[in-house]
Amino acid sequence: MITIGQLARYVGVSVKTIRVYHDKGLLPEPGRDASGYRRYGARDAIELIKVRTLAEAGVPLARIRQLRSATDEEFRQALREIDGELTDRIRGLRATQGRLGRLAAGSLAPLPAEVRAHLEHLAGWGFTPRWVDLQRDLWILVFAAHPHQATRLFQDQAESLADPALRQLFLHYDHAHGLDAGDPRIDDLARRIAEATRERYGPDEPPELDAASDIPALVQSTVNASSPAWQRLDTLIRARLRA
């Protein structure tokens, strides 16, 4: 039989940790000697190693307590679930590590190659550096929050800009940034954009993210906040499309 301090050293935890495990019902209280000190045996060490291993794997203490009363099959099933959760966490950490590596190497942004190439084309088409930077930041946000839907949305925008007439409208939108919000050119541009949108999509809705997503509102608020003219353009376009 060994003391709590010896047990802590053997297993690699602190005495305080063992006492917490006792208080939370994760580790049974052992018998005490004549002086009132706890005395631990091999079985206690094995149980403590189990609890420590699960805790280090990120299993909540409440779940570990539940597993103490589980059958052998329930315990094995729980371990399989925990293993799956760890695998998902590892995959996510590796993806994050890859993104950090690309950023450290000076990559433009954690975006697909076709998006980076598209952003480089914008300047050649006459878009301002402000617009290019804004587009880059917004696509980073969309691809980070909705990677599976982002590709479809990007392809739709790329197809729009491949049309010279639609690209010209985007350019007018970009260069309207510094206009006074009451400039009549804004009303005309809103009309032309709404008409082009209806012509492009017909009775269908343009591709967009899930209705429950907050990203579209965040994206548009970011755009609008940078220019009163852009904010009025957005309001007028929405009103025309709803009419």
Side-chain angles (χ1 to χ4, degrees), residues 11-231:
V11 177
V13 298
S14 66
V15 170
K16 181 180 178 180
T17 296
I18 295 177
R19 288 176 175 150
V20 169
Y21 290 167
H22 283 320
D23 291 341
K24 294 187 176 297
L26 304 177
L27 188 68
E29 284 277 359
R32 296 176 180 263
D33 61 16
S35 300
Y37 293 104
R38 296 184 179 95
R39 286 293 182 262
Y40 298 86
R43 187 64 191 170
D44 298 308
I46 292 171
E47 290 299 315
L48 178 57
I49 289 171
K50 287 181 179 179
V51 173
R52 183 204 64 185
T53 301
L54 291 170
E56 289 178 348
V59 181
L61 296 186
R63 189 173 180 186
I64 295 175
R65 184 171 60 247
Q66 294 170 355
L67 290 177
R68 285 198 48 76
S69 59
T71 64
D72 288 345
E73 178 53 34
E74 290 171 340
F75 189 79
R76 284 193 292 271
Q77 176 60 32
L79 292 183
R80 286 192 289 269
E81 293 173 0
I82 293 168
D83 181 69
E85 292 167 3
L86 286 173
T87 299
D88 291 340
R89 286 168 55 189
I90 291 170
R91 186 181 298 112
L93 288 171
R94 284 177 176 165
T96 299
Q97 187 179 46
R99 289 194 293 270
L100 290 174
R102 291 192 295 275
L103 287 172
S107 178
L108 175 64
L111 289 169
E114 62 269 23
V115 180
R116 297 199 299 271
H118 172 76
L119 292 172
E120 292 172 0
H121 288 322
L122 292 179
W125 285 330
F127 287 95
T128 63
R130 175 193 58 244
W131 181 272
V132 176
D133 289 344
L134 178 63
Q135 290 296 308
R136 179 200 60 214
D137 293 344
L138 296 181
W139 281 121
I140 289 174
L141 176 61
V142 173
F143 271 89
H146 300 280
H148 300 299
Q149 296 174 277
T151 299
R152 178 171 56 88
L153 294 176
F154 167 72
Q155 289 173 345
D156 179 71
Q157 187 187 96
E159 290 172 3
S160 295
L161 288 175
D163 182 324
L166 292 177
R167 183 165 65 242
Q168 194 63 36
L169 287 178
F170 276 95
L171 282 166
H172 288 325
Y173 200 125
D174 175 14
H175 293 283
H177 180 275
L179 293 178
D180 184 86
D183 193 305
R185 286 174 289 181
I186 293 177
D187 296 79
D188 180 62
L189 180 56
R191 176 187 58 76
R192 288 187 289 132
I193 290 175
E195 289 175 355
T197 301
R198 286 200 182 96
E199 183 177 348
R200 175 168 167 74
Y201 299 105
D204 299 325
E205 292 291 331
E208 55 186 19
L209 297 175
D210 294 334
S213 174
D214 295 326
I215 297 301
L218 178 61
V219 167
Q220 195 59 56
S221 65
T222 301
V223 172
N224 292 347
S226 67
S227 164
W230 280 359
Q231 183 174 17

